Amino acid sequence: MQIVACPGCGAQVEFKSHAAVVAVCAFCRTTVMKDADAVRDLGKMSAVLEDFSRIQIGSAGVQGGRGFTVVGRIQLKYAAGIWNEWFLLFDDGSNGWLGDSSGLYTVTTELAASATLPDFDAITPGRCYDINGERFTAAEKRRASCIGGQGELPFKVGDGWQARVVDLRQGGAFITLDYSDGERPQLYKGVSVTLEQMACQLLRDDEQIRATAGKYRGRVEALDCPSCGSAIHYLPGVTTSLVCPSCQAQLDAAGPQAQILASGASVEQVRTALPLGASATVNKVVWRVIGAMTRRDNEGSSWTEYLLYNTTGGFFWLVDSEQGWRRSSVMATWPQWPSLEADHVELDQASYSKLFDYPATVTWAAGAFNWRVAAGDVVQVYEFQRGQAALAAELSADELTWSRSTPVALDQLRAWFGAALRGDVARKAVAPAGTRLASRFALWILGLNAIPLLFNFSGTIFWVVLAIVAIYLSEHLFGAEGS
């Protein structure tokens, strides 16, 4: 450890990691740079936006059998939102990074590249690339700016520092190609993790988070829409992309003042089955609806998606469609998908068959989201199913994500939300599409076989008609179950 005096205020600044080049003074925000036997003042570093992350400087854990301590942090903003990169010092003296984005975590360490790597502009999300002899799928391509930092960092960084990064995945394995310093990228490799898997200690608790989230903005969890003045509830630093429920203005809340990105379109107000702010108690944990949006496919079918958040549990989605309600979560471990054209994917040694491939367009949105969303946004959706479980890939020009969903009975929703679930709006649960299709096919076959029997006045026709009625009723009763 090296301790120096801050050239800005004289306070002690610690360099725990030998790899650290700069450190941000905790008292006056001066960026201190080690320069041989002296230190230099690089100017003030913007304070990070205190968000809902449970990690903080000093948090510790274990990854890959090695203990680590969080010693630094940079906060980056890109077109769709913000994320944190935490600088780690391992007990053996090596270092790495803990990526923290919307409750998903990855730990990576720098790795020497053994072969030519693709150019930044040549990479397309959803396509596969050979990296060090392994096949990875491009997940996200970002151009980002540093908006704040704290603690120790391994390179000179300040306001306006630009990052160009590409994230690639293979199952639970994770690779980042960092093109920030030139055309030849630095290669970082690691895995997707959870805070529980890393046995993290010294994390912020709920009380600390509530007390500090959005601190430099001077308000917590609410702001007035600068377009119409309506109050908007959100999560500072996590859900920085807002859509005003009253005027549909698109807002960016990643800075000290909320900025209007686009004026709201004149659209009819949507009455949803779950209002913004509704709370659900799931396994004794309280979740809150913070955002909602409607989507439509190319055949005119529409559905509503609700974003729920809990400080320790992160995010999950509830989807209300003609096929019933489903609970969906973004996947950290991806299935094996040979190409965009493949009709099967493999996950945990199980095969999922492709059902649909269609564009999904946002038609309305309101509330807070952990990425930027607006009416008119389009993604290509690929759906795969195995039994009751479904996987969905959503592909845009800059990102590919995977989610897993399972059915939720309407009675279960009522138990979670109570009176907050609007019974006059909630769709009735219906049978899965495969069940409905099968029953209709059976009706068609029985109808064909019944034609000759219509001219046979034996008792056989009675049983055929009874079977047809039974199938018809079972389909409609299935559709009305739980209503």
Side-chain angles (χ1 to χ4, degrees):
M1 179 187 294
Q2 182 180 2
I3 300 176
V4 301
C6 172
C9 68
Q12 288 189 347
V13 178
E14 295 182 350
F15 286 87
K16 299 183 179 67
S17 171
H18 293 295
V21 174
V22 299
V24 181
C25 176
F27 294 93
C28 70
R29 309 301 307 166
T30 294
T31 303
V32 181
M33 181 175 182
K34 289 191 297 186
D35 188 5
D37 295 328
V39 294
R40 286 193 293 157
D41 183 346
L42 298 181
K44 302 293 184 182
M45 169 71 86
S46 293
V48 296
L49 170 59
E50 287 295 353
D51 54 26
F52 272 58
S53 176
R54 300 186 65 201
I55 304 169
Q56 61 184 339
I57 301 294
S59 293
V62 178
Q63 173 59 29
R66 296 185 298 168
F68 67 80
T69 303
V70 176
V71 296
R73 172 196 198 183
I74 57 175
Q75 201 167 58
L76 296 138
K77 179 181 179 181
Y78 68 116
I82 66 174
W83 85 97
N84 297 306
E85 292 285 348
W86 301 90
F87 186 49
L88 307 181
L89 173 62
F90 288 98
D91 291 349
D92 60 8
S94 61
N95 55 78
W97 291 93
L98 172 58
D100 172 9
S101 177
S102 298
L104 298 177
Y105 304 96
T106 56
V107 172
T108 58
T109 55
E110 189 169 2
L111 184 67
S114 61
T116 303
L117 297 173
D119 294 335
F120 180 81
D121 292 333
I123 296 177
T124 302
R127 298 296 177 185
C128 296
Y129 299 88
D130 290 322
I131 309 294
N132 277 20
E134 296 182 81
R135 195 76 166 163
F136 285 84
T137 302
E140 192 162 5
K141 186 176 179 179
R142 299 178 177 177
R143 291 177 173 86
S145 299
C146 176
I147 60 172
Q150 63 182 144
E152 302 174 44
L153 297 169
F155 46 76
K156 179 181 175 181
V157 60
D159 289 348
W161 178 78
Q162 299 290 312
R164 296 190 305 160
V165 294
V166 176
D167 293 336
L168 304 98
R169 291 180 178 269
Q170 178 201 80
F174 188 90
I175 274 183
T176 293
L177 298 179
D178 187 346
Y179 297 81
S180 303
D181 295 331
E183 295 305 314
R184 179 168 176 79
Q186 292 175 286
L187 172 63
Y188 296 87
K189 185 176 182 181
V191 293
S192 298
V193 293
T194 66
L195 300 182
E196 290 73 22
Q197 288 172 343
M198 296 185 294
C200 285
Q201 301 177 352
L202 301 178
L203 298 173
R204 296 198 299 164
D205 58 29
D206 287 356
E207 184 176 345
Q208 289 175 298
I209 291 172
R210 283 193 295 268
T212 60
K215 182 174 61 177
Y216 81 60
R217 190 178 288 102
R219 59 176 68 240
V220 177
E221 293 188 351
L223 57 77
D224 295 333
C225 174
S227 180
C228 71
S230 299
I232 306 175
H233 294 274
Y234 75 116
L235 304 173
V238 177
T239 55
T240 56
S241 296
L242 313 177
V243 180
C244 177
S246 299
C247 71
Q248 289 289 290
Q250 299 172 43
L251 309 176
D252 180 2
Q257 300 294 329
Q259 298 179 345
I260 301 176
L261 298 176
S263 297
S266 178
V267 296
E268 182 180 353
Q269 291 296 309
V270 175
R271 178 173 168 81
T272 56
L274 294 171
L276 293 177
S279 61
T281 302
V282 183
N283 295 328
K284 299 182 179 180
V285 175
V286 177
W287 299 76
R288 191 170 300 277
V289 176
I290 61 172
M293 65 178 176
T294 58
R295 283 179 169 182
R296 183 181 61 237
D297 64 18
N298 56 331
E299 296 182 351
S301 296
S302 64
W303 61 95
T304 305
E305 302 181 8
Y306 302 89
L307 180 60
L308 287 84
Y309 180 80
N310 171 270
T311 305
T312 56
F315 299 91
F316 78 84
W317 291 88
L318 282 174
V319 182
D320 175 17
S321 73
E322 294 176 352
Q323 281 71 48
W325 288 81
R326 299 186 73 88
R327 175 175 176 170
S328 176
S329 298
V330 175
M331 299 171 64
T333 299
W334 282 18
Q336 296 178 6
W337 194 20
S339 70
L340 297 177
E341 295 75 26
D343 59 2
H344 286 80
V345 297
E346 300 288 333
L347 179 67
D348 297 331
Q349 299 182 338
S351 179
Y352 291 72
S353 300
K354 183 177 178 180
L355 293 179
F356 308 109
D357 173 0
Y358 56 91
T361 303
V362 176
T363 57
W364 171 88
F369 300 89
N370 53 339
W371 88 103
R372 188 165 295 168
V373 60
D377 288 350
V378 182
V379 296
Q380 191 69 20
V381 179
Y382 303 81
E383 290 190 16
F384 300 82
Q385 188 166 355
R386 177 184 173 86
Q388 293 294 308
L391 307 179
E394 295 192 7
L395 177 63
S396 68
D398 300 315
E399 185 177 13
L400 172 66
T401 60
W402 278 95
S403 59
R404 187 205 312 254
S405 67
T406 53
V408 178
L410 196 55
D411 286 345
Q412 181 67 74
L413 285 174
R414 290 195 179 105
W416 287 350
F417 288 96
L421 182 65
R422 296 166 174 167
D424 60 325
V425 181
R427 300 176 191 265
K428 295 181 179 181
V430 300
T435 303
R436 294 173 65 86
L437 181 62
S439 64
R440 289 170 183 169
F441 180 74
L443 284 170
W444 180 72
I445 292 296
L446 279 171
L448 287 179
N449 284 277
I451 291 174
L453 296 175
L454 291 176
F455 303 97
N456 182 351
F457 296 99
S458 68
T460 308
I461 186 62
F462 169 78
W463 298 109
V464 173
V465 172
L466 182 62
I468 293 174
V469 171
I471 293 175
Y472 178 83
L473 289 177
S474 66
E475 177 183 347
H476 286 71
L477 286 174
F478 217 167
E481 183 181 352
S483 60

